[in-house]
Amino acid sequence: MAERDPDTGLLRGSDGRDRCWWHGGLEDYQLYHDTEWGWPVDEDRRLFEKICLEGFQSGLSWLTILRKREAFRAAFANFEFETVAGFTEADVLRCLDDSGIVRHRRKIESTINNARRALELREEFGSLAAYFWSHEPAAENRPKKLDFATARTLGKTAESTALSKDLKKRGWSFVGPTTVYAFMQSMGMVNDHLEGCCCREKVEKARADFRRPV
């Protein structure tokens, strides 16, 4: 596996471009880094999938979840939360018997619970996207320069803590501040590609052009 630069946190790929270190040069992980992580998302189904998978990731590596993602989609009706909200104990047992996913009863039950809570959020705010994007950190509260040292301090933030607290108040589960911050990174609410990463400026432009849902 390729090694990161200890000072910058960047890893040079076989294409000669520098990227954030964490994909480790693995083909599927690098593709995720380049094409998904940090790019702004406003589709409710994708947002629901992302926050549920971040919950499943708790205590595991994201690579484990990424490589099981298609199995998760098959198990959870492609994360169509209207459908998942109607899952029963029989579906829980089916998922517990599915070796393709993480067979953790509380996390499976949490996904069903959160689908029901997602329906309530959509009813109140019009869309999950409108709700989540209303918690985007103000520009002045973000690091002025996202170097490697700064990135390592961002396991959770005031904004992810506030969003976590609000979700829990609304009955969501497996949405602690660290999980929520990983979700915010994944869905593009923040751009945590490092300075010098070949994706940082492209993602920043996408965020600048992105129309926030209301």
Side-chain angles (χ1 to χ4, degrees), residues 124-141:
E124 181 176 354
F125 291 91
S127 68
L128 299 191
Y131 169 78
F132 284 125
W133 279 99
S134 72
H135 289 81
E136 183 180 10
E140 59 268 23
N141 294 335

Side-chain angles (χ1 to χ4, degrees), residues 87-105:
F87 276 15
T88 66
E89 177 64 16
D91 292 293
V92 173
L93 295 175
R94 171 180 55 79
C95 290
L96 285 170
D97 196 43
D98 186 344
S99 62
I101 68 169
V102 175
R103 293 183 286 185
H104 187 294
R105 176 178 275 273

Side-chain angles (χ1 to χ4, degrees), residues 9-77:
L10 297 172
L11 187 153
R12 180 151 295 177
S14 59
D15 58 1
R17 297 194 293 170
D18 291 331
R19 295 175 172 83
C20 306
W21 80 97
W22 47 260
H23 64 83
L26 300 170
E27 185 176 355
D28 52 352
Y29 216 0
Q30 181 175 302
L31 181 65
Y32 173 76
H33 167 275
D34 288 2
T35 63
E36 288 191 57
W37 195 73
W39 294 84
V41 174
D42 62 359
E43 182 189 342
D44 280 4
R45 189 207 63 78
R46 290 186 63 203
L47 290 168
F48 181 68
E49 175 184 292
K50 284 180 178 292
I51 199 165
C52 289
L53 290 181
E54 292 294 351
F56 271 103
Q57 185 270 333
S58 180
L60 303 169
S61 77
W62 176 250
L63 184 57
T64 297
I65 302 302
L66 181 63
R67 289 179 171 173
K68 291 177 176 287
R69 184 163 62 173
E70 289 305 320
F72 274 112
R73 287 171 173 167
F76 289 100

Side-chain angles (χ1 to χ4, degrees), residues 68-192:
K68 291 177 176 287
R69 184 163 62 173
E70 289 305 320
F72 274 112
R73 287 171 173 167
F76 289 100
N78 202 34
F79 289 96
E80 299 288 352
F81 53 91
E82 301 90 343
T83 301
V84 179
F87 276 15
T88 66
E89 177 64 16
D91 292 293
V92 173
L93 295 175
R94 171 180 55 79
C95 290
L96 285 170
D97 196 43
D98 186 344
S99 62
I101 68 169
V102 175
R103 293 183 286 185
H104 187 294
R105 176 178 275 273
R106 287 183 58 225
K107 291 178 180 180
I108 292 166
E109 291 175 339
S110 172
T111 302
I112 299 168
N113 167 74
N114 291 350
R116 294 165 183 165
R117 305 293 77 79
L119 291 175
E120 295 166 355
L121 261 189
R122 188 176 64 182
E123 179 69 22
E124 181 176 354
F125 291 91
S127 68
L128 299 191
Y131 169 78
F132 284 125
W133 279 99
S134 72
H135 289 81
E136 183 180 10
E140 59 268 23
N141 294 335
R142 292 288 297 157
K144 290 188 171 42
K145 182 177 181 182
L146 194 71
D147 56 22
F148 185 44
T150 301
R152 286 183 294 178
T153 71
L154 295 176
K156 62 181 179 179
T157 63
E159 291 84 1
S160 76
T161 300
L163 177 52
S164 168
K165 184 176 180 180
D166 192 63
L167 286 168
K168 288 178 180 178
K169 184 177 71 175
R170 295 172 180 278
W172 290 63
S173 54
F174 280 93
V175 286
T178 301
T179 294
V180 167
Y181 191 67
F183 166 69
M184 292 166 70
Q185 291 174 308
S186 170
M187 53 89 64
M189 198 185 295
V190 296
N191 178 8
D192 276 356

